[in-house]
Amino acid sequence: MKVETKQKANWHIILITAGAMTASLIGSGFATGQEIIQYFVAHSWQGILGIITTFITVAFMGHAFFRAGLNRKKDLSSPNDVFILFAGQKIGTIYKYLALVVLFLTYAVMVAGAGATIHQQFGIPVIIGSGIMYILSAGTVMLGLEKLTNILGNIGPAIAIIAILLGLAGFFMYQGKLGQANQLVQAALADETIHAASGNWLISALNYVGLIIMLNAGFLAQTGTQANTLKETKIAALLSSGIYAAGILILFLAFMAGFASVGGAQVPSLVIANDIHPFVSYLFIIIIMLAIYTTVVAMLWNVASSLATEGTKGHKWMTALVGLIATLIGLFLPFDQLVNIVYVVSGYFGIIFLFIMISKFCPNAPSRKINLCT
């Protein structure tokens, strides 16, 4: 039986669902600007085509995962079972466990990155900053999916709006230098001041979406279980992807205009914030921390909920244990290079999975084994 699409949409659910999706998408890479430099700015003005591609594919991806959660809730006993829903038992199981590895490693590095950022700005020991992020993320996960979604649903759009405002301010501040952007980008690529995720703008955009799939599939599918109608899932996915793409586009334009200043920076967004006013840079550190928080919470929830049943004492203990182990790994082992490799490889796995999703999601696709529409 198909889910009724003519039911009245609940805008509270739509906004919370879209906000939670936005929060899970906006990580430290987005807030700092590094992702935007590598995946979009590195391709100069062709990066805009990549942003359009990202908007379309992220909207499709979000709706597909929301829809799977809404229509097949009983088949999602574990968050990453959504991979099995789309790809079948054998291939889906490979993706399920690959996603867990990627999530675990990314959580470890992001928590360590939070400590490093606080140490760089304020001189506080890394272990204290990372410890605080671990406690906050583990505590939030222990509240359960519904409360977690509500928290992220409120924080996500706020981060995106502030990033957009920063990008707008940067664009108007640097716009006089926009004409030389392409030449500067090409020179930076030639001397390896910046690196492109791929030599082709389309592959970069798809790789970006592929990584998003690997990191967020389980969380988005579970978020979709809280929707009531397909209309809610469609609007929420479109709204979230629109906010996300708008944020990427505006920061892209700001980085292009101010490339002479931000091109070689580790944290391009912070350069813009400093150029506006030193006080703004301190405020933006908070935004970066919130961006890391919203991302690692979704990651830790996914891993813990894949290993223990949510709502049980075992789940709370698993959350605390997994988070602690990952935090210690991130603090004491040099995992940065490993994670960069995992990111790229996972992105390509994600591209393959995107096409699997399309084949299973389209009602008339002959290869579809699982009907996600009913």
Side-chain angles (χ1 to χ4, degrees):
M1 179 179 178
K2 290 189 176 182
V3 177
E4 179 57 59
T5 58
K6 295 183 179 179
Q7 293 179 16
K8 187 176 180 180
N10 183 322
W11 276 95
H12 174 72
I13 291 177
I14 289 171
L15 293 175
I16 290 296
T17 303
M21 175 174 165
T22 304
S24 68
L25 296 177
I26 296 177
S28 59
F30 174 93
T32 62
Q34 268 302 325
E35 286 180 359
I36 296 168
I37 292 286
Q38 294 178 23
Y39 285 92
F40 304 105
V41 173
H43 297 289
S44 191
W45 295 113
Q46 288 185 324
I48 293 178
L49 297 176
I51 294 169
I52 294 171
T53 301
T54 299
F55 165 65
I56 294 170
T57 49
V58 168
F60 165 77
M61 173 210 73
H63 175 47
F65 286 137
F66 286 158
R67 187 172 186 168
L70 173 63
N71 288 355
R72 303 295 293 272
K73 182 176 181 178
K74 61 182 175 54
D75 297 314
L76 297 173
S77 57
S78 177
N80 291 320
D81 283 348
V82 69
F83 288 109
I84 297 174
L85 270 184
F86 280 100
Q89 188 67 41
K90 292 182 180 179
I91 296 175
T93 300
I94 293 173
Y95 271 95
K96 176 178 177 177
Y97 290 108
L98 175 62
L100 282 178
V101 172
V102 176
L103 287 162
F104 180 82
L105 289 175
T106 306
Y107 177 89
V109 172
M110 280 198 172
V111 171
T117 302
I118 293 175
H119 172 71
Q120 179 179 322
Q121 195 71 16
F122 303 107
I124 298 173
V126 173
I127 193 169
I128 293 178
S130 295
I132 291 172
M133 184 61 70
Y134 156 64
I135 291 169
L136 289 174
S137 60
T140 305
V141 170
M142 290 178 189
L143 294 175
L145 179 63
E146 184 175 353
K147 290 183 180 179
L148 184 155
T149 302
N150 287 331
I151 292 171
L152 299 190
N154 286 298
I155 295 177
I159 297 172
I161 290 169
I162 292 172
I164 288 172
L165 291 175
L166 181 77
L168 285 172
F171 175 73
F172 287 117
M173 184 169 57
Y174 300 131
Q175 61 177 322
K177 303 176 182 178
L178 198 59
Q180 58 184 315
N182 183 62
Q183 182 180 352
L184 291 173
V185 169
Q186 298 307 320
L189 284 169
D191 63 19
E192 297 187 346
T193 302
I194 64 170
H195 299 277
S198 168
N200 178 274
W201 66 266
L202 180 59
I203 299 299
S204 282
L206 291 177
N207 190 276
Y208 188 57
V209 176
L211 180 60
I212 289 173
I213 288 172
M214 298 305 295
L215 292 175
N216 296 287
F219 177 72
L220 293 179
Q222 291 293 328
T223 302
T225 64
Q226 300 181 51
N228 297 315
T229 68
L230 289 179
K231 186 175 183 180
E232 290 173 358
T233 67
K234 290 177 182 177
I235 296 173
L238 191 62
L239 179 60
S240 177
S241 61
I243 294 171
Y244 189 55
I248 294 174
L249 177 61
I250 291 170
L251 285 172
F252 168 86
L253 292 173
F255 294 157
M256 288 291 285
F259 193 82
S261 299
V262 307
Q266 289 296 311
V267 187
S269 297
L270 203 54
V271 173
I272 294 178
N274 266 311
D275 284 352
I276 295 171
H277 193 281
F279 180 71
V280 178
S281 67
Y282 286 99
L283 293 178
F284 202 72
I285 288 291
I286 298 174
I287 299 304
I288 293 174
M289 290 300 103
L290 285 174
I292 293 174
Y293 164 76
T294 59
T295 306
V296 298
V297 163
M299 290 176 179
L300 182 57
W301 174 85
N302 189 314
V303 176
S305 298
S306 296
L307 301 174
T309 303
E310 187 183 11
T312 64
K313 288 184 178 180
H315 183 268
K316 288 183 171 60
W317 279 107
M318 187 60 67
T319 298
L321 182 61
V322 169
L324 179 60
I325 293 172
T327 299
L328 293 175
I329 287 175
L331 284 172
F332 297 110
L333 292 180
F335 263 84
D336 287 3
Q337 292 183 353
L338 174 60
V339 170
N340 286 336
I341 294 172
V342 170
Y343 268 22
V344 174
V345 174
S346 297
Y348 285 113
F349 271 97
I351 292 174
I352 296 170
F353 194 80
L354 175 64
F355 289 109
I356 292 174
M357 289 172 67
I358 293 171
S359 71
K360 297 297 189 294
F361 189 80
C362 297
N364 298 319
S367 64
R368 186 174 53 124
K369 296 180 180 179
I370 298 175
N371 189 345
L372 291 172
C373 303
T374 60

